[in-house]
Amino acid sequence: MQIPSLENVQVDNLPDECREPWDLMIRQWSQKLERNLLRTKYYDGRNELKNLSIAVPDSMAGISEVVGWPQKSVDALADRIVFDGFVGVGDDSRDPLGLDSILSDNDFDVELPQAIRSALTHSCSFLNVRSAEPEDGLRSKVSVSFRSALYETGLWDYARRGLSAALSITDIDRSQYAQANTIVPSELMLYMPGYTIRIRRTQSGRYHADAPRNTYMDHVPVYLIPYHQDLNRPFGRSRISREVMSITDTAVRTMLRMEVSAEFYSSPQRYLIGADEPPEDKNGKKLTGWEATISKMLNISLHHRPVHADDHAAAHRHASRPRGTHERSDRSSAQPVRRHDGFRPLLVRSDHGGGKRTCHRGEERLPRHRRAATQGREGHRHPQRHQRRQRRAQSASGQLA
């Protein structure tokens, strides 16, 4: 979304008392423009992805994911605000103030919902009232118009409890946009207490201020439409707050990770076993770690000790051993050793078809009665008989002594 810039606008013939309010409003409008444009992007679902560059590579960060929570936060309240009309005290007439014709000529019932939606998005919008001029093309003598915070700003006066000055962009230079694709304001309106000044863009690119036009009012005829206004923030707050933008960014990242993960795991993998070199792309360039991870071909190199015939022989010897025994770590020793800690070695054969078998080593926990019988004995099959023999040997040695 392109918005005309006001920083380089130089106005000739502007009254001296308007210079200071003009500079203040230009500075304020420029400071708020970036955040207002950001909230407009969130409302339109065009917010940029804030990628953490951890789970999603930069090459996939351009995938568009849209979360409509910012728009929902604005529309949910805007749709509930309906303008019914004006009501006077003690008057049963439908139009007590005689405003129906003025509002109808200015399409008030059409533009007011738009102004409310803009106020909820940017924290405020503006209602402008002035005398109509022939170039306005209105049948009514009064011009009633709305502007969003992208096209208007003002200075808040706490003493007046209203605006002390306002600046509105009323038109843009369409010929300049068609030729150079740049947006510049062609007409602005300056509102001051008691008068208004129309500012037009000349052929030279500078701006010229017309003569002030009296409004016969002691205040600025621009009225603020704020949302959640308080004493510290008279221009209100936006419904698209920092909290809403934060959870929207989190949701967009979550959805993008889901899409990337779904595409990655739905692609069938192929394994290339025994290849010494890493895979390459069609241009002969070696794939990086992430490119190799997401590719369909996985390379498994065989840079390890080749399988020896003794390994197969050892596996068959373990398979032929009786249960409860296992071979020592020393391959030269073939004596089976029995364990007495309640566990026994276990060798499981898995048949994968085609005569191929795989041996898995493990341990099996003995039953409770067998575990209790084996714990505490030192390699003897009958521990009680062994104890009796020890006692007899001790008694015999005592008698000999």
Side-chain angles (χ1 to χ4, degrees), residues 173-258:
D173 193 342
R174 292 175 175 79
S175 60
Q176 183 72 16
Y177 177 72
Q179 296 174 4
N181 197 21
T182 57
I183 299 180
V184 294
S186 62
E187 185 176 293
L188 301 95
M189 186 68 68
L190 178 63
Y191 296 88
M192 299 294 292
Y195 60 91
T196 60
I197 299 177
R198 187 186 294 269
I199 302 172
R200 309 172 192 267
R201 186 172 186 269
T202 61
Q203 296 294 334
S204 61
R206 297 185 62 86
Y207 292 84
H208 181 78
D210 295 345
R213 185 169 182 177
N214 198 349
T215 60
Y216 303 100
M217 292 185 291
D218 58 351
H219 65 278
V220 177
V222 177
Y223 307 95
L224 194 65
I225 306 176
Y227 173 75
H228 270 196
Q229 181 188 37
D230 58 24
L231 296 177
N232 296 325
R233 305 191 66 168
F235 289 92
R237 292 176 172 82
S238 172
R239 292 275 292 183
I240 307 177
S241 60
R242 296 180 184 270
E243 294 84 355
V244 174
M245 290 187 287
S246 177
I247 62 175
T248 301
D249 293 336
T250 303
V252 169
R253 286 194 297 267
T254 302
M255 293 179 61
L256 182 58
R257 285 194 294 266
M258 293 170 57

Coordinates of all heavy atoms in Angstrom, one line a residue, residues 173-258:
D173 N -2.0 13.4 -6.9 CA -1.7 13.7 -8.3 C -1.7 12.4 -9.1 O -0.7 11.7 -9.1 CB -0.3 14.4 -8.4 CG -0.1 15.1 -9.7 OD1 -0.8 14.7 -10.7 OD2 0.8 16.0 -9.8
R174 N -2.7 12.2 -9.8 CA -2.9 10.9 -10.6 C -1.9 10.9 -11.8 O -1.5 9.8 -12.2 CB -4.3 10.7 -11.0 CG -5.2 10.4 -9.8 CD -6.7 10.3 -10.2 NE -7.5 9.9 -9.1 CZ -8.0 10.8 -8.1 NH1 -7.6 12.1 -8.2 NH2 -8.7 10.3 -7.2
S175 N -1.7 12.1 -12.4 CA -0.8 12.1 -13.6 C 0.6 11.8 -13.1 O 1.3 11.0 -13.8 CB -0.8 13.5 -14.2 OG -0.4 14.5 -13.3
Q176 N 1.1 12.2 -12.0 CA 2.4 11.9 -11.5 C 2.5 10.4 -11.2 O 3.5 9.8 -11.4 CB 2.7 12.7 -10.2 CG 4.1 12.5 -9.6 CD 5.2 13.2 -10.5 OE1 4.8 14.0 -11.4 NE2 6.4 12.8 -10.3
Y177 N 1.4 9.8 -10.7 CA 1.4 8.4 -10.3 C 1.4 7.6 -11.6 O 2.1 6.5 -11.7 CB 0.2 8.0 -9.5 CG 0.0 6.6 -9.2 CD1 0.9 6.0 -8.3 CD2 -0.9 5.8 -9.8 CE1 0.8 4.6 -8.0 CE2 -1.0 4.4 -9.6 CZ -0.2 3.8 -8.7 OH -0.3 2.5 -8.4
A178 N 0.7 8.0 -12.7 CA 0.7 7.3 -13.9 C 2.1 7.4 -14.7 O 2.5 6.4 -15.3 CB -0.4 7.8 -14.8
Q179 N 2.8 8.5 -14.5 CA 4.1 8.6 -15.2 C 5.3 8.1 -14.5 O 6.1 7.3 -15.1 CB 4.3 10.1 -15.5 CG 3.2 10.7 -16.5 CD 3.4 12.2 -16.6 OE1 4.4 12.8 -16.1 NE2 2.5 12.9 -17.4
A180 N 5.4 8.4 -13.2 CA 6.5 8.0 -12.4 C 6.2 7.0 -11.3 O 7.1 6.6 -10.6 CB 7.2 9.2 -11.8
N181 N 5.0 6.5 -11.2 CA 4.6 5.5 -10.2 C 4.9 6.0 -8.8 O 5.3 5.2 -7.9 CB 5.3 4.2 -10.5 CG 4.6 3.0 -9.7 OD1 3.4 3.1 -9.4 ND2 5.3 2.0 -9.5
T182 N 4.8 7.3 -8.6 CA 5.0 7.9 -7.3 C 3.7 8.6 -6.9 O 3.0 9.2 -7.7 CB 6.1 8.8 -7.2 OG1 5.9 9.9 -8.2 CG2 7.5 8.1 -7.5
I183 N 3.4 8.6 -5.6 CA 2.2 9.2 -5.1 C 2.5 10.5 -4.4 O 3.3 10.4 -3.4 CB 1.4 8.2 -4.2 CG1 1.0 7.0 -4.9 CG2 0.2 8.9 -3.6 CD1 0.2 6.0 -4.1
V184 N 2.0 11.6 -4.8 CA 2.3 12.9 -4.2 C 0.9 13.5 -4.0 O 0.0 13.4 -4.8 CB 3.2 13.8 -5.0 CG1 4.6 13.2 -5.1 CG2 2.6 14.0 -6.4
P185 N 0.7 14.2 -2.9 CA -0.6 14.9 -2.7 C -0.7 16.1 -3.6 O 0.2 16.9 -3.8 CB -0.5 15.3 -1.2 CG 0.9 15.4 -0.9 CD 1.6 14.4 -1.7
S186 N -1.9 16.2 -4.2 CA -2.2 17.3 -5.1 C -3.0 18.4 -4.4 O -3.0 19.6 -4.8 CB -2.9 16.9 -6.4 OG -4.2 16.3 -6.0
E187 N -3.7 18.0 -3.3 CA -4.5 19.0 -2.6 C -4.6 18.6 -1.1 O -4.7 17.4 -0.8 CB -5.9 19.0 -3.2 CG -6.8 20.1 -2.5 CD -8.1 20.2 -3.2 OE1 -8.2 20.6 -4.4 OE2 -9.1 19.8 -2.6
L188 N -4.4 19.6 -0.2 CA -4.5 19.4 1.2 C -5.4 20.4 1.8 O -5.6 21.5 1.2 CB -3.1 19.4 1.9 CG -2.0 18.5 1.4 CD1 -1.1 19.1 0.4 CD2 -1.2 18.0 2.6
M189 N -5.9 20.1 3.0 CA -6.8 21.0 3.7 C -6.3 21.2 5.1 O -6.1 20.2 5.8 CB -8.2 20.5 3.7 CG -9.2 21.5 4.3 SD -9.5 23.0 3.3 CE -10.3 22.3 1.8
L190 N -6.0 22.5 5.5 CA -5.6 22.8 6.8 C -6.7 23.4 7.6 O -7.3 24.4 7.1 CB -4.4 23.8 6.7 CG -3.8 24.3 8.0 CD1 -3.2 23.2 8.8 CD2 -2.8 25.4 7.8
Y191 N -7.0 22.8 8.7 CA -8.1 23.3 9.6 C -7.5 24.0 10.8 O -6.7 23.4 11.5 CB -9.0 22.1 10.0 CG -9.7 21.4 8.9 CD1 -9.1 20.4 8.2 CD2 -11.0 21.8 8.5 CE1 -9.8 19.7 7.2 CE2 -11.7 21.1 7.5 CZ -11.0 20.1 6.8 OH -11.7 19.4 5.8
M192 N -8.0 25.2 11.0 CA -7.5 26.0 12.2 C -8.8 26.6 12.8 O -9.9 26.6 12.2 CB -6.6 27.1 11.7 CG -5.3 26.7 11.1 SD -4.2 25.8 12.2 CE -3.8 27.1 13.3
P193 N -8.7 27.0 14.1 CA -9.9 27.6 14.8 C -10.4 28.8 14.0 O -9.6 29.9 14.0 CB -9.4 27.9 16.2 CG -8.2 27.0 16.4 CD -7.6 26.8 15.0
G194 N -11.5 28.8 13.5 CA -12.1 30.0 12.8 C -12.0 30.0 11.3 O -12.7 30.8 10.6
Y195 N -11.1 29.2 10.7 CA -10.9 29.3 9.3 C -10.2 28.0 8.8 O -9.7 27.2 9.5 CB -10.0 30.5 8.9 CG -8.7 30.5 9.5 CD1 -7.6 29.9 8.8 CD2 -8.4 31.1 10.7 CE1 -6.3 30.0 9.3 CE2 -7.1 31.1 11.2 CZ -6.1 30.6 10.5 OH -4.8 30.6 11.1
T196 N -10.3 27.8 7.5 CA -9.7 26.7 6.8 C -8.9 27.2 5.6 O -9.2 28.3 5.0 CB -10.7 25.7 6.2 OG1 -11.6 26.4 5.3 CG2 -11.6 25.1 7.4
I197 N -7.8 26.5 5.2 CA -6.9 26.9 4.1 C -6.8 25.7 3.2 O -6.4 24.6 3.6 CB -5.6 27.4 4.6 CG1 -5.7 28.6 5.6 CG2 -4.7 27.7 3.5 CD1 -4.4 29.1 6.2
R198 N -7.1 25.9 1.9 CA -6.9 24.9 0.9 C -5.5 25.1 0.3 O -5.1 26.2 -0.1 CB -8.0 25.0 -0.1 CG -7.9 23.8 -1.2 CD -8.9 24.0 -2.3 NE -10.3 24.0 -1.7 CZ -11.0 22.9 -1.7 NH1 -10.5 21.7 -2.1 NH2 -12.3 22.9 -1.2
I199 N -4.7 24.0 0.2 CA -3.4 24.0 -0.3 C -3.3 23.2 -1.6 O -3.7 22.0 -1.5 CB -2.4 23.5 0.7 CG1 -2.5 24.4 2.0 CG2 -1.0 23.5 0.2 CD1 -1.6 23.8 3.2
R200 N -2.9 23.7 -2.7 CA -2.9 23.0 -4.0 C -1.4 22.9 -4.5 O -0.6 23.8 -4.2 CB -3.7 23.8 -5.0 CG -5.1 24.1 -4.5 CD -5.8 25.0 -5.5 NE -7.0 25.6 -5.0 CZ -8.2 25.1 -5.2 NH1 -8.4 23.9 -5.8 NH2 -9.3 25.7 -4.7
R201 N -1.2 21.9 -5.3 CA 0.1 21.6 -5.9 C 0.2 22.3 -7.2 O -0.7 22.1 -8.1 CB 0.4 20.1 -6.0 CG 1.8 19.8 -6.5 CD 2.0 18.3 -6.4 NE 3.4 17.9 -6.7 CZ 3.8 17.6 -7.9 NH1 3.0 17.6 -9.0 NH2 5.1 17.3 -8.1
T202 N 1.2 23.0 -7.5 CA 1.4 23.8 -8.7 C 2.2 22.9 -9.7 O 2.6 21.8 -9.5 CB 2.1 25.1 -8.5 OG1 3.4 24.8 -8.0 CG2 1.3 26.0 -7.5
Q203 N 2.3 23.5 -11.0 CA 3.0 22.7 -12.0 C 4.5 22.6 -11.7 O 5.2 21.7 -12.2 CB 2.8 23.5 -13.4 CG 1.4 23.5 -13.9 CD 0.9 22.1 -14.2 OE1 1.7 21.2 -14.6 NE2 -0.4 22.0 -14.2
S204 N 5.1 23.5 -10.9 CA 6.5 23.5 -10.6 C 6.8 22.4 -9.5 O 7.9 22.2 -9.2 CB 6.9 24.8 -10.1 OG 6.2 25.3 -9.0
G205 N 5.8 21.9 -8.9 CA 6.0 20.9 -7.8 C 5.9 21.5 -6.4 O 5.9 20.7 -5.5
R206 N 5.8 22.8 -6.3 CA 5.6 23.4 -5.0 C 4.1 23.5 -4.7 O 3.3 23.3 -5.6 CB 6.3 24.8 -5.0 CG 7.8 24.7 -5.1 CD 8.4 26.1 -5.0 NE 8.2 26.6 -3.6 CZ 9.0 26.4 -2.6 NH1 10.0 25.6 -2.7 NH2 8.7 26.9 -1.4
Y207 N 3.8 23.9 -3.5 CA 2.5 24.0 -3.1 C 2.2 25.5 -2.7 O 3.0 26.2 -2.1 CB 2.2 23.1 -1.8 CG 2.3 21.6 -2.2 CD1 3.5 21.0 -2.2 CD2 1.1 20.9 -2.5 CE1 3.6 19.6 -2.6 CE2 1.2 19.6 -2.8 CZ 2.4 18.9 -2.8 OH 2.5 17.6 -3.2
H208 N 1.0 25.9 -3.0 CA 0.5 27.2 -2.8 C -0.8 27.2 -1.9 O -1.7 26.4 -2.2 CB 0.2 28.0 -4.1 CG -0.2 29.4 -3.9 ND1 0.6 30.4 -3.7 CD2 -1.5 29.9 -4.0 CE1 0.0 31.5 -3.6 NE2 -1.3 31.3 -3.8
A209 N -0.8 28.0 -0.9 CA -1.9 28.1 0.0 C -2.9 29.2 -0.5 O -2.5 30.3 -0.7 CB -1.5 28.4 1.4
D210 N -4.2 28.8 -0.6 CA -5.2 29.8 -0.9 C -5.5 30.7 0.3 O -5.0 30.5 1.4 CB -6.5 29.1 -1.3 CG -6.3 28.3 -2.6 OD1 -5.3 28.6 -3.3 OD2 -7.2 27.5 -2.9
A211 N -6.3 31.7 0.1 CA -6.7 32.6 1.2 C -7.5 31.9 2.2 O -8.3 31.0 1.8 CB -7.4 33.8 0.6
P212 N -7.3 32.2 3.5 CA -8.1 31.5 4.5 C -9.6 31.8 4.3 O -10.0 32.9 3.9 CB -7.6 32.2 5.8 CG -6.3 32.7 5.5 CD -6.3 33.1 4.0
R213 N -10.4 30.8 4.6 CA -11.9 30.9 4.4 C -12.5 30.8 5.8 O -12.2 29.8 6.5 CB -12.4 29.8 3.5 CG -13.9 29.9 3.3 CD -14.3 29.0 2.2 NE -15.8 29.2 1.9 CZ -16.4 28.6 0.9 NH1 -15.7 27.7 0.1 NH2 -17.7 28.8 0.7
N214 N -13.3 31.8 6.2 CA -13.8 31.9 7.5 C -14.9 30.8 7.7 O -15.8 30.6 6.8 CB -14.5 33.2 7.7 CG -14.7 33.5 9.2 OD1 -14.6 32.6 10.0 ND2 -15.0 34.8 9.5
T215 N -14.9 30.1 8.9 CA -15.9 29.1 9.2 C -16.9 29.6 10.3 O -17.8 28.9 10.6 CB -15.2 27.9 9.8 OG1 -14.4 28.2 11.0 CG2 -14.2 27.2 8.8
Y216 N -16.6 30.8 10.8 CA -17.5 31.4 11.9 C -17.6 30.5 13.1 O -18.7 30.5 13.7 CB -18.8 31.7 11.3 CG -18.7 32.7 10.1 CD1 -18.8 32.2 8.8 CD2 -18.5 34.0 10.2 CE1 -18.7 33.0 7.7 CE2 -18.4 34.9 9.1 CZ -18.5 34.4 7.9 OH -18.4 35.2 6.8
M217 N -16.6 29.7 13.4 CA -16.6 28.8 14.5 C -15.3 29.1 15.3 O -14.2 29.3 14.7 CB -16.8 27.4 14.2 CG -18.1 27.0 13.6 SD -18.3 25.2 13.3 CE -17.2 25.0 11.9
D218 N -15.4 29.0 16.6 CA -14.2 29.2 17.4 C -13.4 28.0 17.7 O -12.5 28.0 18.5 CB -14.6 29.9 18.8 CG -15.6 29.0 19.6 OD1 -16.1 28.0 19.0 OD2 -15.9 29.3 20.7
H219 N -13.7 26.9 17.0 CA -13.0 25.6 17.2 C -12.7 25.0 15.9 O -13.2 25.5 14.8 CB -13.8 24.6 18.1 CG -15.1 24.2 17.5 ND1 -16.2 24.9 17.5 CD2 -15.4 23.1 16.7 CE1 -17.2 24.3 16.8 NE2 -16.7 23.2 16.4
V220 N -11.9 24.0 15.9 CA -11.6 23.3 14.6 C -12.7 22.4 14.3 O -13.1 21.5 15.0 CB -10.2 22.5 14.8 CG1 -9.9 21.7 13.5 CG2 -9.1 23.5 15.1
P221 N -13.3 22.5 13.0 CA -14.4 21.7 12.7 C -14.0 20.2 12.2 O -14.5 19.7 11.2 CB -15.0 22.4 11.5 CG -13.9 23.2 10.9 CD -13.0 23.5 12.0
V222 N -13.1 19.6 13.0 CA -12.6 18.3 12.7 C -12.8 17.5 14.1 O -12.4 18.0 15.1 CB -11.2 18.2 12.3 CG1 -10.7 16.7 12.1 CG2 -11.0 18.9 11.0
Y223 N -13.5 16.4 14.0 CA -13.9 15.7 15.2 C -13.2 14.3 15.2 O -13.3 13.5 14.2 CB -15.4 15.6 15.3 CG -16.0 16.9 15.2 CD1 -16.5 17.4 14.0 CD2 -16.1 17.8 16.3 CE1 -17.1 18.7 13.9 CE2 -16.7 19.0 16.2 CZ -17.1 19.5 15.0 OH -17.7 20.7 14.9
L224 N -12.6 13.9 16.3 CA -11.9 12.7 16.4 C -12.8 11.5 16.7 O -13.8 11.6 17.5 CB -10.8 12.8 17.5 CG -9.8 11.7 17.6 CD1 -8.9 11.8 16.3 CD2 -8.9 11.9 18.8
I225 N -12.6 10.4 16.1 CA -13.3 9.1 16.4 C -12.3 8.1 16.9 O -11.7 7.4 16.1 CB -14.0 8.6 15.1 CG1 -14.9 9.6 14.5 CG2 -14.9 7.3 15.4 CD1 -15.6 9.2 13.2
P226 N -12.1 8.1 18.2 CA -11.1 7.2 18.8 C -11.6 5.9 19.3 O -12.8 5.8 19.5 CB -10.5 8.1 19.9 CG -11.7 8.8 20.4 CD -12.6 9.1 19.2
Y227 N -10.7 5.0 19.5 CA -11.1 3.7 20.2 C -10.2 3.6 21.4 O -9.0 3.7 21.4 CB -10.9 2.5 19.3 CG -11.1 1.2 19.9 CD1 -12.4 0.8 20.3 CD2 -10.0 0.4 20.3 CE1 -12.6 -0.5 20.9 CE2 -10.2 -0.8 20.9 CZ -11.5 -1.2 21.2 OH -11.7 -2.4 21.9
H228 N -10.9 3.3 22.6 CA -10.2 3.2 23.9 C -9.3 4.4 24.2 O -8.1 4.3 24.5 CB -9.3 1.9 23.9 CG -10.1 0.7 24.4 ND1 -9.4 -0.4 24.8 CD2 -11.4 0.5 24.6 CE1 -10.3 -1.3 25.2 NE2 -11.5 -0.8 25.0
Q229 N -9.9 5.5 24.1 CA -9.2 6.8 24.4 C -9.1 7.0 25.9 O -10.0 6.6 26.7 CB -10.0 8.0 23.8 CG -9.4 9.3 24.0 CD -10.4 10.4 23.5 OE1 -11.6 10.3 23.7 NE2 -9.9 11.5 22.9
D230 N -8.0 7.5 26.4 CA -7.8 7.9 27.8 C -7.0 9.2 27.8 O -6.6 9.7 26.8 CB -7.1 6.7 28.6 CG -5.8 6.3 28.0 OD1 -5.1 7.1 27.3 OD2 -5.3 5.2 28.3
L231 N -6.6 9.6 29.1 CA -5.9 10.9 29.2 C -4.5 10.8 28.7 O -4.0 11.8 28.2 CB -5.9 11.2 30.7 CG -7.3 11.5 31.3 CD1 -7.1 11.8 32.8 CD2 -8.0 12.6 30.6
N232 N -3.9 9.7 28.7 CA -2.5 9.6 28.2 C -2.5 9.4 26.7 O -1.5 9.7 26.1 CB -1.8 8.4 28.9 CG -1.7 8.6 30.4 OD1 -1.5 9.7 30.9 ND2 -1.8 7.5 31.2
R233 N -3.5 8.8 26.2 CA -3.5 8.5 24.7 C -4.9 9.1 24.2 O -5.8 8.3 24.0 CB -3.4 7.0 24.4 CG -2.1 6.4 25.1 CD -1.8 5.1 24.5 NE -1.4 5.1 23.1 CZ -0.9 4.1 22.5 NH1 -0.7 2.9 23.1 NH2 -0.6 4.1 21.2
P234 N -4.9 10.4 23.9 CA -6.2 10.9 23.4 C -6.6 10.4 22.0 O -7.8 10.5 21.7 CB -5.9 12.4 23.4 CG -4.4 12.6 23.3 CD -3.9 11.4 24.0
F235 N -5.6 9.9 21.2 CA -6.0 9.4 19.9 C -6.3 7.9 19.9 O -6.6 7.4 18.9 CB -4.8 9.6 19.0 CG -4.6 11.1 18.6 CD1 -3.7 11.9 19.3 CD2 -5.2 11.6 17.5 CE1 -3.5 13.2 19.0 CE2 -5.1 13.0 17.2 CZ -4.2 13.8 17.9
G236 N -6.4 7.4 21.1 CA -6.9 6.0 21.3 C -5.9 4.9 21.0 O -4.7 5.2 20.9
R237 N -6.4 3.7 21.0 CA -5.5 2.5 20.8 C -6.1 1.7 19.6 O -7.3 1.7 19.4 CB -5.4 1.7 22.0 CG -4.7 2.4 23.2 CD -4.7 1.5 24.4 NE -3.8 2.0 25.4 CZ -4.1 3.0 26.3 NH1 -5.3 3.6 26.2 NH2 -3.2 3.4 27.2
S238 N -5.3 0.9 19.0 CA -5.7 0.1 17.9 C -6.2 -1.3 18.5 O -5.7 -1.8 19.4 CB -4.6 -0.1 16.9 OG -5.0 -1.1 15.9
R239 N -7.2 -1.9 17.8 CA -7.6 -3.2 18.1 C -6.5 -4.2 17.8 O -6.4 -5.3 18.4 CB -8.9 -3.6 17.4 CG -10.1 -2.8 17.9 CD -10.7 -3.5 19.1 NE -11.3 -4.8 18.7 CZ -12.0 -5.6 19.6 NH1 -12.1 -5.2 20.8 NH2 -12.5 -6.7 19.2
I240 N -5.7 -3.9 16.8 CA -4.6 -4.8 16.4 C -3.4 -4.4 17.2 O -2.5 -3.6 16.8 CB -4.3 -4.6 14.9 CG1 -5.5 -4.8 14.0 CG2 -3.2 -5.6 14.4 CD1 -5.3 -4.6 12.5
S241 N -3.4 -4.8 18.5 CA -2.4 -4.5 19.4 C -1.1 -5.3 19.2 O -1.1 -6.2 18.4 CB -3.0 -4.7 20.9 OG -3.3 -6.0 21.0
R242 N -0.1 -5.0 20.1 CA 1.1 -5.8 20.0 C 0.9 -7.3 20.3 O 1.5 -8.2 19.8 CB 2.1 -5.2 20.9 CG 2.6 -3.8 20.5 CD 3.6 -3.2 21.5 NE 3.9 -1.9 21.2 CZ 4.9 -1.5 20.4 NH1 5.6 -2.4 19.8 NH2 5.1 -0.2 20.1
E243 N -0.1 -7.5 21.3 CA -0.4 -8.9 21.6 C -1.0 -9.7 20.4 O -0.6 -10.8 20.1 CB -1.3 -9.0 22.8 CG -0.7 -8.5 24.1 CD -0.8 -7.0 24.2 OE1 -1.3 -6.3 23.2 OE2 -0.5 -6.4 25.3
V244 N -1.9 -9.0 19.7 CA -2.5 -9.6 18.5 C -1.5 -9.9 17.4 O -1.5 -11.0 16.8 CB -3.7 -8.8 18.0 CG1 -4.2 -9.3 16.7 CG2 -4.8 -8.6 19.0
M245 N -0.6 -9.0 17.2 CA 0.4 -9.2 16.2 C 1.4 -10.3 16.6 O 1.9 -11.0 15.7 CB 1.2 -7.8 15.9 CG 0.3 -6.8 15.2 SD 1.2 -5.3 14.7 CE 1.5 -4.5 16.3
S246 N 1.7 -10.4 17.9 CA 2.6 -11.4 18.4 C 2.1 -12.8 18.2 O 2.7 -13.7 17.6 CB 3.0 -11.1 19.8 OG 3.8 -12.1 20.3
I247 N 0.8 -13.0 18.6 CA 0.2 -14.3 18.5 C 0.0 -14.7 17.0 O 0.0 -15.8 16.6 CB -1.1 -14.5 19.3 CG1 -2.1 -13.5 18.8 CG2 -0.8 -14.3 20.7 CD1 -3.5 -13.7 19.5
T248 N -0.2 -13.7 16.2 CA -0.4 -13.9 14.7 C 0.9 -14.4 14.1 O 1.0 -15.3 13.3 CB -0.9 -12.6 14.0 OG1 -2.1 -12.2 14.6 CG2 -1.1 -12.9 12.5
D249 N 2.0 -13.7 14.5 CA 3.3 -14.2 14.0 C 3.6 -15.6 14.4 O 4.2 -16.4 13.7 CB 4.4 -13.2 14.5 CG 4.3 -11.8 13.9 OD1 3.7 -11.7 12.9 OD2 4.8 -10.9 14.6
T250 N 3.3 -15.9 15.7 CA 3.5 -17.3 16.2 C 2.7 -18.3 15.4 O 3.2 -19.4 15.0 CB 3.2 -17.4 17.7 OG1 4.0 -16.4 18.4 CG2 3.5 -18.8 18.2
A251 N 1.4 -18.0 15.1 CA 0.6 -18.9 14.4 C 1.0 -19.1 13.0 O 1.0 -20.2 12.4 CB -0.9 -18.3 14.4
V252 N 1.5 -18.0 12.3 CA 2.0 -18.1 11.0 C 3.3 -19.0 10.9 O 3.4 -19.9 10.0 CB 2.4 -16.7 10.4 CG1 3.1 -16.8 9.1 CG2 1.1 -15.9 10.2
R253 N 4.2 -18.9 11.9 CA 5.3 -19.7 11.9 C 4.9 -21.2 12.2 O 5.5 -22.1 11.6 CB 6.3 -19.3 13.0 CG 7.1 -18.0 12.7 CD 8.2 -17.8 13.6 NE 7.8 -17.7 15.0 CZ 7.6 -16.5 15.5 NH1 7.7 -15.4 14.8 NH2 7.2 -16.4 16.8
T254 N 3.9 -21.4 13.0 CA 3.5 -22.8 13.3 C 2.9 -23.4 12.1 O 3.2 -24.6 11.7 CB 2.5 -22.8 14.4 OG1 3.1 -22.2 15.6 CG2 2.0 -24.2 14.8
M255 N 2.0 -22.7 11.3 CA 1.5 -23.2 10.1 C 2.5 -23.5 9.1 O 2.4 -24.5 8.3 CB 0.4 -22.2 9.6 CG -0.8 -22.1 10.5 SD -2.0 -20.9 9.8 CE -2.5 -21.7 8.3
L256 N 3.5 -22.6 9.0 CA 4.6 -22.8 8.0 C 5.4 -24.1 8.3 O 5.7 -24.9 7.4 CB 5.5 -21.6 7.9 CG 6.6 -21.7 6.9 CD1 6.0 -21.9 5.5 CD2 7.4 -20.4 6.9
R257 N 5.7 -24.3 9.6 CA 6.4 -25.5 10.0 C 5.6 -26.7 9.7 O 6.1 -27.8 9.3 CB 6.8 -25.4 11.5 CG 7.9 -24.5 11.8 CD 8.4 -24.8 13.2 NE 7.4 -24.4 14.2 CZ 7.3 -23.3 14.8 NH1 8.2 -22.3 14.5 NH2 6.4 -23.0 15.7
M258 N 4.3 -26.7 9.9 CA 3.4 -27.8 9.6 C 3.5 -28.1 8.1 O 3.5 -29.3 7.7 CB 2.0 -27.5 10.0 CG 1.8 -27.5 11.5 SD 0.2 -26.9 12.0 CE -0.8 -28.1 11.2

